[in-house]
Amino acid sequence: MVEVNPGDAVTDAYAALTERAWVSNRSRADELSSLVGQWRATGAIPADGRQHARDIAHSLRGSAGTFGHHRAAEAAESLEQLLVDGHPVHLDAVADLIATIGLGLSEPPEPQRFTGDANSAERAG
Amino acid sequence: MTGIPARRACDTVNDIPQPKLVLLVDDDDDIREVTQTSLELVDGFRIITASNGREAVRQAREHHPDGILLDMMMPGVDGLATLEMLNADPATAGIKVILLTARVDGVQQTPTVAGLIPKPFDPMSLGVEVSRMMGWSR
């Protein structure tokens, strides 16, 4: 009979989901870069585009932070705040934050470690 | 029939504590899955999930979970609107809710809000915090 350690199962699942989240967040960063490219080309930031970029930054912040890419999460948080309605937006500042997000995502995530014990699942009530 | 809610009847079977049933609501697939995995495998909760507010309300009515973890910022029906819908329905109004949020502004404390957990959170230690806020013994 093979004993399954819940800690191993969680660690394996976490590693797989971290990889998947990295792909999602890399895609979000690319979409932000594309939006800024459009804004530079047209010389305007449409309100809906700004809100869309803010939503992307918000998602990136939550996901990157949850999966250990804290530098990227902090830059995404700054970007989200920068894109609040009514605030003047400097595209260079936006581009710098997106670059920082990219750098943060290129770093290895800070590992989350299973700290529970193998019997905790039987105790939860 | 004594009128005891079904979920209370399921809290113990032959005096053996049963795992709490938690409804996890988040529109981000990756966060939802890692949180579900952690809460199930590390903490032993039973988890049902929803990816939006309307689905959350439907799941809450159908399964009457012991508690709900509710992401605040979701497209369409957001967390606040979902909370209002849950509180307005007698079938779900008594369910304790923990809000998962990066922003605390605009959040109204109601008797059913057991607490706020800031995002991002560490999925591996989330269950301990959930149990503490809900007042569930471990």
Side-chain angles (χ1 to χ4, degrees):
Chain A
M1 183 175 168
V2 177
E3 288 191 15
V4 178
N5 182 343
D8 291 341
V10 172
T11 302
D12 290 348
Y14 185 80
L17 285 166
T18 298
E19 178 67 22
R20 201 177 80 183
W22 182 87
V23 173
S24 300
N25 288 328
R26 189 62 257 178
S27 175
R28 287 170 174 142
D30 289 345
E31 187 174 0
L32 286 170
S33 294
S34 176
L35 281 171
V36 171
Q38 292 172 27
W39 297 346
R40 281 194 194 282
T42 61
I45 304 175
D48 57 343
R50 181 176 176 137
Q51 181 59 48
H52 182 51
R54 195 167 173 232
D55 290 345
I56 295 171
H58 180 85
S59 297
L60 229 165
R61 170 194 184 183
S63 180
T66 298
F67 289 96
H69 285 106
H70 299 298
R71 186 180 179 191
E74 288 167 9
E77 180 180 3
S78 298
L79 180 57
E80 185 184 1
Q81 291 169 353
L82 195 65
L83 294 170
V84 168
D85 286 344
H87 288 197
V89 174
H90 300 285
L91 288 181
D92 288 344
V94 173
D96 285 348
L97 285 170
I98 295 171
T100 303
I101 291 169
L103 283 173
L105 290 174
S106 70
E107 297 165 349
E110 292 182 26
Q112 307 277 14
R113 291 187 178 84
F114 171 70
T115 55
D117 67 72
N119 297 317
S120 62
E122 297 171 11
R123 295 200 310 266
Chain B
M1 288 292 288
T2 61
I4 298 172
R7 70 185 176 95
R8 282 204 176 278
C10 293
D11 278 348
T12 60
V13 176
N14 297 329
D15 291 331
I16 299 172
Q18 297 298 297
K20 296 293 187 185
L21 178 64
V22 176
L23 170 58
L24 169 63
V25 188
D26 199 306
D27 63 304
D28 187 301
D29 294 346
D30 302 322
I31 292 177
R32 199 174 59 249
E33 285 192 37
V34 78
T35 304
Q36 178 177 7
T37 300
S38 175
L39 292 177
E40 285 179 342
L41 295 182
V42 178
D43 300 287
F45 293 123
R46 290 178 296 142
I47 302 293
I48 52 177
T49 63
S51 60
N52 59 65
R54 292 195 188 284
E55 187 184 354
V57 171
R58 185 183 60 75
Q59 292 268 41
R61 284 179 182 143
E62 184 175 341
H63 298 287
H64 212 80
D66 296 293
I68 299 174
L69 303 184
L70 178 61
D71 182 27
M72 291 305 289
M73 187 165 173
M74 297 183 291
V77 180
D78 66 9
L80 274 182
T82 304
L83 185 61
E84 289 172 2
M85 291 165 70
L86 290 167
N87 286 337
D89 186 335
T92 56
I95 303 173
K96 282 188 175 181
V97 178
I98 291 175
L99 305 176
L100 307 174
T101 179
R103 299 178 191 146
V104 295
D105 53 309
V107 175
Q108 293 184 337
Q109 286 286 346
T110 70
T112 57
V113 174
L116 302 172
I117 292 180
K119 293 181 81 174
F121 52 79
D122 174 6
M124 297 303 172
S125 59
L126 181 64
V128 174
E129 192 70 359
V130 168
S131 291
R132 187 186 66 76
M133 287 182 172
M134 292 291 194
W136 295 338
S137 59
R138 294 174 61 86

